Amino acid sequence: MSAAPLPPLPPVPGIEDDEVVFGGPSMLDLLDEDHQQLAQLCDRLATPGEQEKARPQDIEDVLVATLARHLSAEEQYLYPTVKAVLPDGDPIASQEVAADAELLLALQRLHATPAASGAEYHDALEAVATHVRSHADRTGKGVFPRLREQCSDTELVRLGNRVLIARGAAPTRPHPNTPAKPPLNKLVDPAVAVVDKVRDVLTRRTTWPEDLAG
């Protein structure tokens, strides 16, 4: 079993690092939940039901923010783990980083396209949805099961704790030109996120799924 690249822990007298017991969700469970939530947001925006209470703009804002957070967290913690743990991890991680760059461009296009544009907006949304489905299929079926075999539960929970922190400090808008690999992304993403969050407050933008009506 290969060791995942875990962030250091604060020292605990008399206890070795690998003896610390952690609680919380696994990184893979968190990211898998993201994939399901992102697919639901795409569907909710594309074909709103009769009982839909949230404004389309709010659903779009949450989709954009959730996807931006998700990609930031994966690039900080999932892909370095893939590279370190899987024998073919380097090409897999490189493929996913390249796919993320395309997805961020599609997300940027959606974010900049007015819903009133009709067909143009529909095409932009469909491009994002297609990327999301493809990304979830590749990682959920081809990568996550292999990581569950190679990583211990403790490793995945420790990484899950970091993913939760990364989400909270991540940008809420697409920034396709920022670094996508550690260590620079761990420095740049939180800095860019500060600006995003100020804009969110000033515009009263909804960015979390739990804040959506209905």
Side-chain angles (χ1 to χ4, degrees), residues 127-171:
V128 170
T130 299
H131 277 292
V132 166
R133 288 191 292 266
S134 178
H135 166 77
D137 188 66
R138 286 194 313 272
T139 55
K141 295 180 180 179
V143 176
F144 290 4
R146 297 178 64 192
L147 290 182
R148 285 192 172 95
E149 290 179 356
Q150 296 297 324
C151 298
S152 69
D153 291 343
T154 296
E155 289 173 328
L156 293 176
V157 168
R158 282 184 62 179
L159 289 164
N161 291 336
R162 290 303 173 122
V163 164
L164 289 173
I165 294 170
R167 276 182 184 166

Side-chain angles (χ1 to χ4, degrees), residues 16-205:
E16 295 297 326
D17 185 58
D18 58 1
E19 295 176 347
V20 180
V21 178
F22 280 86
S26 157
M27 172 179 69
L28 302 181
D29 290 342
L30 286 171
L31 297 178
D32 188 54
E33 289 170 4
D34 278 355
H35 292 160
Q36 297 176 42
Q37 191 168 63
L38 288 165
Q40 291 169 2
L41 287 167
C42 288
D43 291 342
R44 193 171 170 182
L45 188 56
T47 55
E50 294 181 0
Q51 304 300 317
E52 182 61 69
K53 297 179 180 179
R55 299 187 310 146
Q57 184 61 58
D58 290 339
I59 299 174
E60 180 195 318
D61 287 340
V62 169
L63 170 62
V64 170
T66 301
L67 187 48
R69 292 188 186 105
H70 174 77
L71 295 179
S72 177
E74 284 193 329
E75 289 170 355
Q76 290 184 51
Y77 293 104
L78 174 64
Y79 302 151
T81 302
V82 168
K83 291 175 69 173
V85 168
L86 302 182
D88 54 347
D90 277 340
I92 292 174
S94 296
Q95 176 190 8
E96 292 306 321
V97 168
D100 283 1
E102 293 182 7
L103 177 48
L104 282 171
L105 288 172
L107 190 63
Q108 187 178 54
R109 178 189 170 202
L110 174 66
H111 190 50
T113 304
S117 65
E120 184 180 358
Y121 182 82
H122 174 79
D123 290 346
L125 175 58
E126 181 57 31
V128 170
T130 299
H131 277 292
V132 166
R133 288 191 292 266
S134 178
H135 166 77
D137 188 66
R138 286 194 313 272
T139 55
K141 295 180 180 179
V143 176
F144 290 4
R146 297 178 64 192
L147 290 182
R148 285 192 172 95
E149 290 179 356
Q150 296 297 324
C151 298
S152 69
D153 291 343
T154 296
E155 289 173 328
L156 293 176
V157 168
R158 282 184 62 179
L159 289 164
N161 291 336
R162 290 303 173 122
V163 164
L164 289 173
I165 294 170
R167 276 182 184 166
T172 59
R173 289 171 169 79
H175 298 280
N177 295 322
T178 56
K181 298 178 181 179
L184 288 180
N185 61 350
K186 292 185 179 182
L187 300 174
V188 174
D189 278 11
V192 172
V194 171
V195 178
D196 282 354
K197 290 174 183 177
V198 169
R199 293 174 64 191
D200 293 342
V201 170
L202 293 176
T203 59
R204 297 184 179 180
R205 179 173 177 251

